[in-house]
Amino acid sequence: MTDKPRDYCGIFGIQNHPDAALLTYYGLHSLQHRGQESAGITTSYFDEEEERWIMPTHRDFGLVLNVFDDQNIFKEELKGRAAIGHNRYSTSGASKNPANIQPFRVHYRKGNIAIGHNGNLANAKQLRDRFREEGVLFQSTSDTELILHLISHSQKDTQLEQVLEALEQVEGAYSLVMLTDDKLIAVRDPNGFRPLALGKVDGSYCVASETCAFDIIDAEYIRDVEPGEVLVMDQESDADSEPESYFLEPEHGTDTSQCIFEYVYFSRPDSKIFGENVDKVRRNLGKYLAKEHPIDEMLTKETKHKPIVISVPDSSNTAALGYVHENQKLGRECKFEIGLIRNHYVGRTFISPGQKQREQKVRTKFNTVQGVIEGRSVIIVDDSIVRGTTSRYLVDMIRKSNPAEVHFLVSSPPIISPCYYGMDFPTPEELMANRYDRNIDDMAEEIGVDSLCYLSPDGLVNAVKEANVSPKGYCTACFTEDYPVPVNFGVEKEANEII
């Protein structure tokens, strides 16, 4: 019952390291925010006695700490010097199917291959229909499985050639880690929708959705995997040899379109994605929010105290700091305060079937600091509003602490359309901006604030581009309905799960 969009997963891979599975475990732990329903790790090693390659996999529902709670898993089960790992979210119905837990692993005529995927294939329905006509049996409802079928059906001579041919047939968003018997392959789609970074630790290459997964294992960030790049690392790969690199052609002639929502909400502030620190970009979002909506233009009541700016923790913290800093720089009185406290020990086991239960869930996650809020003009900064339910409950809680007035600022534009490139959004009808036909005053009344202000689409793009000098472009489809890659809108999530 979250009121935020969800990213579908985090991925990690490492080649040629004696503790490959253990380092993958730590990497997944740092990427836990990208998927909290299930986790899995696959390794690869050559069994001298059996004279064949073995690819053990351990995966289950739950958080990383729960799935890998027995240290013997790393000593006895997940052997080998290469590993890939995956954290997962899913659509509600498909989340109950254990066959959808990644990494997926298969054995076919060219050997073993395992895959972990972050994204969503835009042409999944066409591919699935084609395979059904050919009599192919499916083990899951995930579009990730389609990539494995494309590889196994290829008539190319080598496994790498088969992988490259398969990737030429898929469209949409895909950052991938693939493990063959002797290779780690990392892929980012030509549009570069989802992030993927290359690092090295103890002379071994590793890849991850975000660089925070490198920090926990003391790995060095080298660079991003480029849009359209296929990196191949074999067992001989080390820090002295560059991985092999191949490039895929852009789809439909479109330009790079990196997901701008990664900066707004998904990624951890201590990560570097798309070539720039997330914290720096979020502070810049707050700066542009102050330019478009200066604090003194919102206030309507005289109080004996300075107006305070509070964030909805934790993803909005740095945007709120950027907003305060820019206002202070321009001589406008305000200060940042901790007015909302977040309980970090709330699990995902709360059942919230009705309004009262949903409200209680918000109260288990947040609480107000009355002494900070009482009698003050309060400006709440949040990164986004989806349905508006959580925002309304938060404002109700803050009102009970007797502020002089309450204003709500959003460091992104109104969300008006679903994402088809790897984020889980409500239907268009559930989005608050659509329910009120984007009427800001009506939306402000819905969540119970004196005023509601959003960062404009241009302000969002300009803020990101000012903070990140990379010339690459960004996808803003959820704010603008401008989809850079054509999507089959007849796809139903239950029948064709996004991963």
Side-chain angles (χ1 to χ4, degrees), residues 127-139 145-146 149 152-153:
L127 291 173
R128 188 176 292 271
D129 289 345
R130 187 186 100 191
F131 282 130
R132 282 198 180 114
E133 289 295 319
E134 295 173 1
V136 172
L137 299 177
F138 292 95
Q139 299 297 315
E145 185 180 354
L146 297 168
H149 286 302
S152 66
H153 280 65

Side-chain angles (χ1 to χ4, degrees), residues 34-65:
R34 298 186 72 91
Q36 300 177 31
E37 290 183 354
S38 63
I41 295 175
T42 298
T43 61
S44 178
Y45 70 96
F46 187 77
D47 190 300
E48 299 288 349
E49 292 184 6
E50 298 188 23
E51 296 185 343
R52 67 186 181 95
W53 286 93
I54 307 292
M55 196 170 274
T57 297
H58 186 92
R59 56 184 193 169
D60 204 348
F61 293 111
L63 301 176
V64 175
L65 290 171

Side-chain angles (χ1 to χ4, degrees), residues 192-209:
F193 283 105
R194 309 252 71 86
L196 192 61
L198 175 69
K200 63 181 177 181
V201 55
D202 302 328
S204 301
Y205 282 111
C206 52
V207 291
S209 294

Side-chain angles (χ1 to χ4, degrees), residues 162-220:
Q162 292 172 349
V163 168
L164 292 172
E165 183 179 60
L167 294 174
E168 290 171 355
Q169 299 175 68
V170 297
E171 300 176 0
Y174 53 92
S175 282
L176 308 171
V177 284
M178 286 187 272
L179 194 62
T180 68
D181 289 331
D182 60 350
K183 291 180 176 61
L184 171 66
I185 302 173
V187 186
R188 197 164 162 223
D189 70 76
N191 284 81
F193 283 105
R194 309 252 71 86
L196 192 61
L198 175 69
K200 63 181 177 181
V201 55
D202 302 328
S204 301
Y205 282 111
C206 52
V207 291
S209 294
E210 297 180 33
T211 59
C212 62
F214 296 159
D215 297 336
I216 196 172
I217 61 173
D218 201 25
E220 175 192 359

Side-chain angles (χ1 to χ4, degrees), residues 372-405:
V372 169
I373 294 171
E374 190 168 14
R376 300 288 191 98
S377 293
V378 176
I379 293 86
I380 307 167
V381 176
D382 202 357
D383 51 75
S384 58
I385 297 178
V386 184
R387 295 181 181 89
T389 51
T390 297
S391 302
R392 185 172 68 251
Y393 296 146
L394 285 174
V395 171
D396 286 345
M397 291 170 61
I398 289 169
R399 289 285 191 193
K400 290 176 181 176
S401 294
N402 300 316
E405 55 186 327

